Amino acid sequence: MNLYMFEHCSLCFRVCMTAALKRKPLQETVVLDDDTTTMLHLAGRRVIPILVKDDGEPMLESMDMVEYVDGIGAPVLSGPQHPEIAQWADAVVSKTAPLTMPRYPLLGLPEFATPAALAHYTQRKYKTYGDFAELRSHTRELINELMPALESLDAMIESPQAVNGTLSLDDIRVLPLLRSAAVVKDLPFPPRIRAYFETMMRRIGFAPLPAV
């Protein structure tokens, strides 16, 4: 299996962490942000992630990829799902994105390895989020807006080993979003979130992204 991805992409990380939990080999191919040609060749449209299965068939939806990888052999994501976790994950993205999007270009990630790729990303995101430097200047107030959502999640985490006590699709929803949020250097994770994040990242063998 080959996953075409961006290093900063939380949807991509869903697939990476599932493969790690399953101990299944997964080739990770980071695509330059401006490499639309590769995406069109593989998927017929600009989209990331793209999972190319061993038979050459591409998959384009991250949760479909997760269920496919987890279905190889005995599933590991067998625990219960709680609707409030999915609702939290859907709602929190609008609060994390203004903090994380303007920081990814500062991390030296491979999808921004050329000036053209970096400029492409900056121009794309400017249409939605505005000027990156301006956003970073509002870090404190954006953190204050995010903290109630983190405190809400903190109260729902049952174990450092799994959001709901047993690994489930809810962990696939939550951990990638926490990995993204952790790039914000001054963002304090509440204690249960911190324990969960550090435990899970060690478990899957991934280092957090740099924090800036």
Side-chain angles (χ1 to χ4, degrees):
M1 297 179 290
N2 193 343
L3 181 68
Y4 291 81
M5 57 177 282
F6 296 146
E7 187 66 32
H8 72 276
C9 168
S10 61
L11 300 182
C12 303
F13 194 69
R14 288 175 170 181
V15 188
C16 296
M17 70 173 283
T18 304
L21 287 167
K22 291 281 293 186
R23 302 294 189 264
K24 293 293 182 183
L26 176 68
Q27 181 176 342
E28 299 174 8
T29 301
V30 177
V31 181
L32 288 169
D33 192 86
D34 63 339
D35 187 6
T36 301
T37 300
T38 292
M39 302 177 208
L40 290 174
H41 173 72
L42 292 170
R45 60 188 173 96
R46 182 181 170 88
V47 61
I48 286 290
I50 304 167
L51 179 68
V52 178
K53 299 190 294 185
D54 290 340
D55 63 4
E57 180 185 354
M59 301 184 73
L60 308 182
E61 297 296 331
S62 64
M63 292 305 279
D64 290 345
M65 300 176 200
V66 166
E67 293 182 4
Y68 172 76
V69 174
D70 192 42
I72 301 172
V76 297
L77 303 172
S78 57
Q81 300 178 63
H82 295 168
E84 60 268 26
I85 295 292
Q87 292 165 6
W88 179 89
D90 288 341
V92 80
V93 173
S94 64
K95 297 183 183 298
T96 58
L99 284 161
T100 60
M101 291 296 176
R103 284 173 164 78
Y104 294 141
L106 306 178
L107 305 183
L109 299 176
E111 56 263 40
F112 310 132
T114 67
L118 181 57
H120 188 267
Y121 173 83
T122 302
Q123 291 163 8
R124 283 197 304 116
K125 298 304 180 182
Y126 182 86
K127 297 175 183 178
T128 303
Y129 299 103
D131 181 75
F132 282 174
E134 176 69 14
L135 279 173
R136 291 193 295 268
S137 74
H138 294 289
T139 294
R140 178 45 53 192
E141 60 194 80
L142 291 169
I143 286 176
N144 290 341
E145 292 174 8
L146 174 60
M147 287 309 298
L150 292 181
E151 290 162 1
S152 173
L153 176 65
D154 196 65
M156 291 188 280
I157 291 178
E158 296 184 18
S159 165
Q161 301 291 337
V163 168
N164 302 327
T166 304
L167 285 173
S168 71
L169 289 174
D170 282 347
D171 294 284
I172 303 301
R173 296 183 175 98
V174 168
L175 187 67
L177 294 175
L178 296 179
R179 174 181 179 261
S180 294
V183 305
V184 184
K185 185 176 182 179
D186 295 325
L187 177 64
F189 278 171
R192 289 185 188 178
I193 290 180
R194 173 60 61 188
Y196 170 78
F197 178 67
E198 292 178 351
T199 299
M200 286 294 292
M201 293 297 283
R202 286 195 301 270
R203 182 174 185 176
I204 62 177
F206 281 84
L209 294 170
V212 294

